[in-house]
Amino acid sequence: MSDIVDNTQFQDILRGSRSGFFRYGIAFDKDFETVLLEAELNGTGILDYENDVMGLELLNYYLRKTGKEGIDELPSEYMLFLCRGGLCDENKEVNKLNADGLEYGRREIDARASESSLQELSAGFYPESVQLLP
């Protein structure tokens, strides 16, 4: 999913987001030359959730720190897009991560997996994660 939004629409979307939970990446130009993923936006303080704006000074600081060119002014329109993630396990299998709702960021597992196979997996994990005290 991707949408072009103007500043007013962007502010409305940001206003509806909980602090640190903006769920879109942003392209600042139509050629995707200047792009930030949601983790970059949420982890850097670029988004000002109290005033529903993006901080140009923090944005440029981050862009330059990461070897990108800064921008003179915020654009009148942004391209918002959803990011999909995956997790590669020890068997080199890639598991998709959920991109919405309460399951956001959690692995998608095969609903057909048997209860016993999930129990076996859990039973193998638990002993390795617990350290007994002397």
Side-chain angles (χ1 to χ4, degrees), residues 104-123:
Y104 185 87
R106 295 183 182 171
R107 282 182 284 179
E108 293 180 4
I109 59 170
D110 186 354
R112 296 170 292 183
S114 70
E115 184 177 318
S116 62
S117 68
L118 290 175
Q119 287 172 344
E120 288 172 22
L121 181 65
S122 299

Side-chain angles (χ1 to χ4, degrees), residues 12-78:
D12 289 342
I13 293 168
L14 192 56
R15 188 175 298 115
S17 299
R18 202 168 92 207
S19 181
F21 285 86
F22 188 74
R23 292 296 179 221
Y24 300 97
I26 296 179
F28 294 87
D29 57 89
K30 65 179 178 158
D31 296 323
F32 282 69
E33 293 291 326
T34 306
V35 176
L36 295 178
L37 301 178
E38 69 174 77
E40 293 175 293
L41 293 164
N42 288 318
T44 58
I46 293 170
L47 299 177
D48 178 351
Y49 289 93
E50 290 182 22
N51 298 304
D52 306 318
V53 296
M54 187 175 317
L56 181 61
E57 188 175 325
L58 283 172
L59 171 63
N60 279 326
Y61 173 78
Y62 180 74
L63 290 172
R64 290 185 181 113
K65 186 176 178 184
T66 57
K68 300 172 186 153
E69 194 172 316
I71 59 176
D72 295 329
E73 61 184 11
L74 294 172
S76 59
E77 294 183 328
Y78 304 96

